[in-house]
């Protein structure tokens, strides 16, 4: 069951998104006039979810001090003239020569982040702990400012799980993302995440090795889907999205895209905001169905584009036998259960202790997020398991807040 791809989401319109981005950009940058850059590609697979991103055209300069900043692909020069002495100095700062590196944004040494989906109050009541990480499921093309408001309200780091489903429609394929059809929405998302400055874990197209996922490379019978859904296109899509969300000079991003065999970004921006994001690669421990073409490794986009490895783990399918070798295969990365939960009336209290015993034996595990969003998994329906979870996270190893949110 690809739970993440089928949640009902409240989605707003393209016009609202553009308006909000223009206002937010003007406020943050002090801009009097904005233009829209990066036209949507009407021929691409993304339609209703596409949007354009505002770019500053200039700022008001006080008459007493003149400051002019010019940005080129190689350097930026700032000249300041004093009205008192009429002397000027010129300072040249070299532009970055490398793109931002990946960052996992780990919890402090010796600690493990515990988190939840909504409702946070229910999770806190059941466990006695506030979640350090708050997770939302996001549809491709979703109204962007609305995505990022809840986590700061809860004083938590954010995790977003991104599906290509918009309502009941799959709006873009992996190939569509790889060829630039989703650039404008991704740029908008990166801009919004950078504006909030809240550390965000981005779980892009999770459970891709599950045939029920709209971006999986295989059908339920093990046969391959068309090329736009191939695992090769998935990897390219992931790489492109990662470069956009991490941000940096567009010239350098385009240079890397060219090396990967992809076309340049569809934007007039000179540089993309560098959002504090960590990319979370989430796979089932074995493909569903279990065929070679659907093995998790077939979708792995490369170590430079992944910050965390994760899986979803539910009491109906507690496959510890496959879990351990799966995590060991990616031993260079921190590991998380990006979703774990009691499912289908399992209230014998064995699942939660087993999960935490496994975590205690595998120091690679640094985060786990309880999926409390559905009545199928709600802790309120499983009081005995809720007590077990309360005991499991009671220690100081599971902080209630990330360091930047702790009072």
């Amino acid at each position: 069951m690809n739970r993440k791809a089928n949640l009902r989401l409240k989605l707003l319109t393209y016009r609202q998104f553009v308006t909000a981005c223009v206002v937010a950009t003007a406020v943050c940058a002090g801009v009097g006039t904005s233009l829209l850059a990066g036209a949507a590609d009407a021929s691409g697979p993304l339609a209703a979810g596409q949007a354009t991103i505002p770019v500053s055209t200039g700022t008001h300069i006080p008459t007493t001090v003149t400051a002019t900043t010019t940005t080129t692909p190689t350097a930026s020069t700032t000249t300041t003239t004093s009205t008192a002495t009429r002397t000027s100095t010129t300072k040249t700062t070299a532009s970055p020569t490398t793109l931002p590196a990946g960052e996992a944004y780990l919890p402090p040494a010796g600690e493990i982040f515990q988190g939840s989906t909504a409702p946070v109050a229910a999770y806190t009541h059941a466990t006695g702990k506030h979640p350090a990480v708050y997770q939302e499921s996001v549809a491709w093309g979703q109204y962007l400012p609305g995505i990022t408001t809840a986590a700061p309200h809860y004083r938590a780091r954010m995790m977003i799980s991104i599906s290509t489903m918009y309502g009941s429609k799959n709006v873009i394929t992996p190939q569509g993302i790889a060829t630039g059809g989703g650039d404008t929405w991704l740029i908008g998302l990166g801009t919004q995440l950078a504006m909030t400055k809240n550390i965000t874990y981005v779980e892009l197209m999770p459970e891709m090795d599950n045939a029920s996922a709209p971006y999986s490379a295989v059908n339920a019978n093990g046969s391959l889907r068309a090329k736009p859904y191939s695992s090769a296109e998935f990897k390219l899509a992931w790489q492109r999205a990662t470069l956009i969300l991490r941000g940096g000079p567009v010239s350098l991003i385009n240079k890397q895209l060219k090396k990967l065999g992809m076309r340049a970004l569809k934007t007039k921006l000179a540089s993309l905001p560098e959002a504090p994001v960590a990319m979370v690669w989430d796979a089932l421990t074995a493909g569903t169905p279990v065929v070679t073409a659907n093995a998790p490794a077939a979708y792995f986009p490369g170590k430079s584009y992944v910050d965390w490895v994760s899986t979803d783990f539910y009491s109906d399918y507690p496959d510890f036998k496959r879990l351990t070798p799966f995590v060991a295969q990616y031993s260079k990365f921190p590991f998380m259960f990006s979703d774990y939960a009691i499912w289908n009336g399992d209230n014998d209290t064995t699942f939660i202790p087993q999960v935490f015993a496994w975590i205690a034996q595998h120091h690679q595990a640094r985060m786990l997020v309880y999926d409390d969003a559905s009545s199928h998994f709600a802790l309120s329906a499983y009081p005995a398991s809720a007590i077990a979870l309360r005991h499991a996270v009671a220690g100081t190893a599971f902080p209630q807040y990330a360091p930047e949110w702790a009072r």
Side-chain angles (χ1 to χ4, degrees), residues 66 78-82 85-91:
T66 302
T78 302
T79 302
T80 302
T81 303
S82 169
T85 62
R86 298 299 176 184
T87 60
S88 64
T89 59
T90 301
K91 180 181 179 181

Side-chain angles (χ1 to χ4, degrees), residues 90-141:
T90 301
K91 180 181 179 181
T92 302
T93 304
S95 294
T97 57
T98 59
L99 289 170
E103 173 63 59
Y105 296 103
L106 293 168
E111 296 183 0
I112 300 170
F113 281 154
Q114 49 78 37
S116 77
T117 57
V120 167
Y123 174 83
T124 303
H125 176 76
T127 64
K129 282 213 167 170
H130 178 277
V133 177
Y134 168 76
Q135 184 186 144
E136 287 188 8
S137 291
V138 174
W140 195 278

Side-chain angles (χ1 to χ4, degrees), residues 162-184:
I162 303 175
S163 172
T164 58
M165 293 295 290
Y166 191 110
S168 60
K169 182 181 179 182
N170 186 38
V171 297
I172 194 166
T173 65
Q175 186 181 69
I177 298 171
T179 55
D183 284 358
T184 49

